[in-house]
Amino acid sequence: MASRTPSPTADRVERTSAADRGATGERPRRRLSVDERREQLIAVALELFSRRPPEEVSIDDIAAAAGASRPLVYHYFPGKQAIYEESLRRAGQELSARFEEPMEGPLSERLYRVMGRYLDFVHSHGPGFAALLRGGSVAASAGTSAVIDEVRRAAHDQILAHLALPTPSPGLRLAVRAWIANAEITSLEWLSERSVPLEDLQLHLVQEFVAALTLTAAREPELAAELAGFFADERPDGPTGRLVRDLAGLFAVPGLPEAVTALATATGAEADPRATEGGAGTAVE
């Protein structure tokens, strides 16, 4: 770990820079404290890593952007990997905070605001984080993976908190984790193609969550009982209301209502695929 006390070399570098500015008539800038300089380097590095994959950013790039020398950067960080991991940790904290939302109003509208902040972050920090999340970055390490995992846990816990269920089932937890993974994959694909407006992607991801929640409730009676309350709080012009109207519109497709009704009302052997597993032998038994 680097010392928090500036070295004589680093001190000379900063004094020389101040003297040079004075000689050229420029107004000398206030010397940064140890903590201020470290925070500045992290902020500059995060900006560079946000715009370019980490393997394309060098210590010289960070030093130049910070108006510092290469030795000064090395005084605060032992190498590029260390400053990358610290920058990512800060970004992870910011991203985790974007999942925090007051527990007021319809559930899908809360999630819509959360996803707006999430996608804004993805848009602002695209190249560097895309490289990491895709697993193709040479800067990926146990430290960087731990940061990403922490963001996923924060998202998972926040969403379950909004559902406000006393004991979320394993099936529901799995559905939430799967949706978070899908949101990552979808947003990264959007970064590479940008084929749809960001607002459309925001709505799409929220509606996918509502669909996943509904499907899970179809398999879990206790969650199904809670689902009525969720839908009762939703508004017609919200994400869930718009999804329900879109699904209802499918029933205008010729033949679809009859096909769905036939599946929903099937009984006996037709409703239970296991009844046909034994073939004719099962019927004899």
Side-chain angles (χ1 to χ4, degrees), residues 16-227:
T16 301
S17 298
D20 290 342
R21 287 193 295 271
T24 58
E26 295 181 16
R27 183 179 179 181
R29 291 181 292 178
R30 180 180 65 85
R31 271 194 63 190
L32 299 178
S33 69
V34 172
D35 290 339
E36 288 173 334
R37 174 63 81 180
R38 190 172 189 275
E39 291 300 315
Q40 182 214 23
L41 291 173
I42 292 170
V44 165
L46 179 56
E47 175 64 22
L48 291 175
F49 290 132
S50 297
R51 290 188 278 109
R52 291 149 58 187
E55 52 266 30
E56 295 180 9
V57 178
S58 68
I59 288 290
D60 288 333
D61 293 330
I62 296 171
S69 67
R70 181 185 176 93
L72 187 62
V73 177
Y74 275 114
H75 168 70
Y76 287 92
F77 298 94
K80 188 180 79 170
Q81 184 68 27
I83 194 169
Y84 175 63
E85 290 188 9
E86 183 57 34
S87 301
L88 184 64
R89 188 173 296 107
R90 298 298 177 85
Q93 292 170 353
E94 178 189 342
L95 182 54
S96 296
R98 296 193 181 203
F99 283 94
E100 297 178 2
E101 173 72 21
M103 296 184 187
E104 303 171 353
L107 176 64
S108 70
E109 293 181 25
R110 289 181 244 162
L111 191 56
Y112 184 79
R113 291 189 290 271
V114 168
M115 293 312 297
R117 294 192 294 268
Y118 171 81
L119 291 173
D120 177 66
F121 184 92
V122 169
H123 175 68
S124 302
H125 300 79
F129 292 96
L132 177 69
L133 290 175
R134 290 182 188 280
S137 172
V138 297
S141 66
T144 59
S145 297
V147 171
I148 298 302
D149 287 342
E150 183 59 34
V151 172
R152 290 169 179 155
R153 281 194 296 272
H156 171 268
D157 293 346
Q158 282 291 324
I159 291 170
L160 287 180
H162 280 283
L163 293 175
L165 299 173
T167 54
S169 68
L172 178 58
R173 290 181 178 275
L174 180 61
V176 171
R177 291 192 185 97
W179 177 77
I180 292 170
N182 177 65
E184 282 184 8
I185 294 170
T186 303
S187 59
L188 288 174
E189 287 301 308
W190 177 85
L191 276 174
S192 64
E193 299 178 1
R194 302 179 190 267
S195 55
V196 300
L198 200 59
E199 295 78 8
D200 290 353
L201 178 60
Q202 180 181 352
L203 177 63
H204 176 75
L205 288 172
V206 174
Q207 290 180 333
E208 282 195 344
F209 177 79
V210 174
L213 181 64
T214 304
L215 179 59
T216 305
R219 299 165 177 163
E220 300 185 6
E222 292 184 4
L223 179 58
E226 299 287 346
L227 197 64

